[in-house]
Amino acid sequence: MTESELPDTDYVENEEEDYYMDDDDDDCDDDNGDDSEYEFDEADFNQQLADKFDDLDLPPGVEATVPWLQKLAANDEQDGASDELVEDEITRKYKAFQQFYTVQNFSDHHYANKSVGKTSREWAKRIQHDWKLLEKDLPASIFVRVAEDRMDLLRAAIIGPKGTPYHDGLFFFDAHFTSNYPSEPPLVYYHSGGLRLNPNLYNCGKVCLSLLGTWSGSGCEKWNSAHSTMLQVLVSIQALILNEKPYFNEPGYAGSANTATGQQHSVEYNKNTFLHSCRTMLYSLRRPPEHFGDLVAGHFRERGRTILAACKHYLEGNMVGSEVPEEEEVEYDGTGASSSSSSSSVPKKQEVMRVDPLGRRTMFIDNLKTLFEDLLMEFNVKGADTRKFLEDKVKKNLPAA
């Protein structure tokens, strides 16, 4: 990344760009291109979501009184039993999903068609050593799959850390160990879906990190063939890239971290980042990477309610990335307003009107409202506990007395 490539400080005015389309980036070479990248069709997307509800994919006990669910039979016991079995299967597979596991192969891996070339016995032993470290020491929020017939390939899923605009998201990375490994670091590709939600994660899949040799660094920041490992790479991505204020990941902006202007731009960047994180959730739900379908379904079934609560929390003007109150402490009336039984437990609202112009705030709210509806439908398909949000939606649509 050169100074000419730093993000435009006016980026917030372009939040409504077609976020599933790749743009040309000088830092993304042809090797990182992915011709199979998903192209977003909003009309087709919404129709497919509606079709899923026509197939009676609601969790048991949820009354189908929402306008776009009119075709559903609320008290159909047979269909309810079928849905319950599906939910049990999702839960069973999710609980059984191991953090580290060896699969046969990858058909959709970014580097599947890249030949590793001639390798040595030492190369294989070193990769097996990395596997053992991953199996033993992976943090609870990182999941890895490696291939028996392609030792050079690895895929990882990283859950976005709490307290950041990435919280509860799932982010996927493909890695390739060249024949020169560990003399050189692995190649790593980020499944972006065409979105750039971090200065270090390009929409073409490039991962900018000193440890990978894709950014300058010194000392322990750089790859060391004797000590550096794939585990270190994954932990660094989670801790150093998916952080609380990613705006300052850009070297050109790090110096403004203690200024009012820098903080304002950081707030705006976090808003845009959370929108992209929600879009990434939808992308993963519709097209989960191979060998991670059970994780995607189970993760968003378990975290769906929390993610929707966060959307409501941010729609009220609270700082993106701030702590979201437990749902039992906050009751939403379906219009965006909330009340709490304990005001001290609710983080102080961001002074939105003082921080950002009205036009930008309106744009963020409009985008997030749309994403909230899409996520609500998708999470229902996976059996997430969304009863509260469905009830709020019904109340909001009821005619005035």
Side-chain angles (χ1 to χ4, degrees):
M1 293 182 292
T2 63
E3 185 173 350
S4 63
E5 296 160 0
L6 297 179
D8 189 344
T9 55
D10 293 330
Y11 64 89
V12 292
E13 298 181 1
N14 299 316
E15 287 180 325
E16 292 183 312
E17 62 183 317
D18 187 352
Y19 46 80
Y20 279 93
M21 298 299 292
D22 293 334
D23 59 16
D24 294 328
D25 199 313
D26 294 337
D27 268 347
C28 297
D29 54 32
D30 293 337
D31 183 58
N32 275 332
D34 187 356
D35 294 336
S36 65
E37 198 68 79
Y38 175 68
E39 293 186 4
F40 182 71
D41 185 330
E42 184 174 2
D44 175 66
F45 175 64
N46 290 332
Q47 181 59 50
Q48 289 191 44
L49 287 177
D51 289 344
K52 291 176 182 177
F53 284 96
D54 290 339
D55 293 332
L56 297 175
D57 283 323
L58 274 177
V62 176
E63 294 185 357
T65 53
V66 181
W68 34 264
L69 301 178
Q70 291 297 331
K71 295 180 182 180
L72 296 177
N75 299 314
D76 192 318
E77 296 181 1
Q78 183 176 355
D79 289 332
S82 175
D83 284 344
E84 187 172 357
L85 290 175
V86 171
E87 290 185 14
D88 288 343
E89 185 71 1
I90 290 176
T91 300
R92 183 186 66 79
K93 290 182 177 180
Y94 177 59
K95 290 182 177 179
F97 196 88
Q98 300 180 39
Q99 279 192 265
F100 179 89
Y101 194 73
T102 303
V103 298
Q104 188 63 38
N105 54 48
F106 290 103
S107 62
D108 66 339
H109 197 283
H110 181 73
Y111 298 104
N113 296 324
K114 189 177 184 65
S115 174
V116 68
K118 186 178 180 180
T119 60
S120 64
R121 186 175 180 180
E122 288 71 24
W123 176 86
K125 288 178 64 177
R126 174 55 191 267
I127 291 179
Q128 288 175 337
H129 171 70
D130 274 49
W131 287 4
K132 290 179 180 178
L133 289 177
L134 290 166
E135 186 173 16
K136 177 185 176 184
D137 297 327
L138 271 176
S141 53
I142 300 179
F143 299 80
V144 170
R145 294 293 178 266
V146 295
E148 284 184 1
D149 62 350
R150 287 289 302 271
M151 289 185 67
D152 61 304
L153 302 182
L154 177 149
R155 172 168 289 166
I158 299 178
I159 300 176
K162 293 188 180 301
T164 74
Y166 306 101
H167 67 87
D168 295 319
L170 274 179
F171 306 94
F172 292 91
F173 299 84
D174 284 354
H176 167 65
F177 302 102
T178 70
S179 58
N180 293 324
Y181 186 80
S183 296
E184 63 183 21
L187 301 176
V188 178
Y189 172 86
Y190 166 57
H191 285 264
S192 69
L195 305 172
R196 189 175 182 186
L197 44 59
N198 188 286
N200 299 79
L201 301 176
Y202 286 66
N203 65 324
C204 64
K206 179 178 179 179
V207 179
C208 198
L209 187 67
S210 299
L211 194 59
L212 297 175
T214 49
W215 180 245
S216 60
S218 60
C220 62
E221 297 175 349
K222 300 178 67 175
W223 181 264
N224 182 304
S225 60
H227 303 292
S228 299
T229 65
M230 190 65 213
L231 174 63
Q232 185 182 355
V233 170
L234 296 177
V235 172
S236 295
I237 290 174
Q238 185 179 55
L240 301 179
I241 294 181
L242 303 176
N243 60 36
E244 181 181 1
K245 297 181 178 180
Y247 175 80
F248 300 117
N249 284 12
E250 283 286 7
Y253 296 155
S256 65
N258 295 321
T259 68
T261 300
Q263 290 299 323
Q264 177 178 336
H265 286 312
S266 177
V267 167
E268 293 302 324
Y269 195 94
N270 276 8
K271 290 181 180 179
N272 203 46
T273 294
F274 183 71
L275 294 176
H276 281 346
S277 182
C278 290
R279 290 160 182 153
T280 300
M281 295 177 196
L282 293 169
Y283 177 85
S284 298
L285 281 161
R286 298 193 67 208
R287 187 180 175 180
E290 189 176 17
H291 305 303
F292 283 85
D294 293 338
L295 175 67
V296 171
H299 172 82
F300 287 116
R301 181 184 175 191
E302 181 181 83
R303 306 286 181 95
R305 184 178 66 175
T306 303
I307 294 167
L308 293 174
C311 291
K312 289 285 190 180
H313 190 60
Y314 301 153
L315 283 170
E316 292 177 337
N318 292 288
M319 188 81 71
V320 171
S322 64
E323 180 183 353
V324 179
E326 292 295 326
E327 199 170 339
E328 58 267 25
E329 295 177 351
V330 178
E331 293 192 2
Y332 297 96
D333 63 6
T335 64
S338 70
S339 60
S340 173
S341 59
S342 175
S343 59
S344 61
S345 65
V346 181
K348 184 178 180 180
K349 285 188 179 181
Q350 171 190 350
E351 294 292 336
V352 180
M353 294 303 295
R354 220 188 290 172
V355 172
D356 51 340
L358 178 61
R360 292 178 179 176
R361 176 174 179 257
T362 302
M363 189 179 298
F364 169 74
I365 289 176
D366 288 346
N367 283 329
L368 187 53
K369 283 181 177 178
T370 299
L371 287 167
F372 174 85
E373 295 294 333
D374 292 342
L375 288 169
L376 176 60
M377 288 190 284
E378 279 287 1
F379 292 161
N380 265 297
V381 172
K382 300 305 179 188
D385 180 9
T386 59
R387 182 190 301 270
K388 174 65 178 175
F389 302 100
L390 287 173
E391 290 175 351
D392 287 347
K393 190 174 181 67
V394 172
K395 292 177 183 177
K396 184 178 179 181
N397 289 316
L398 287 176

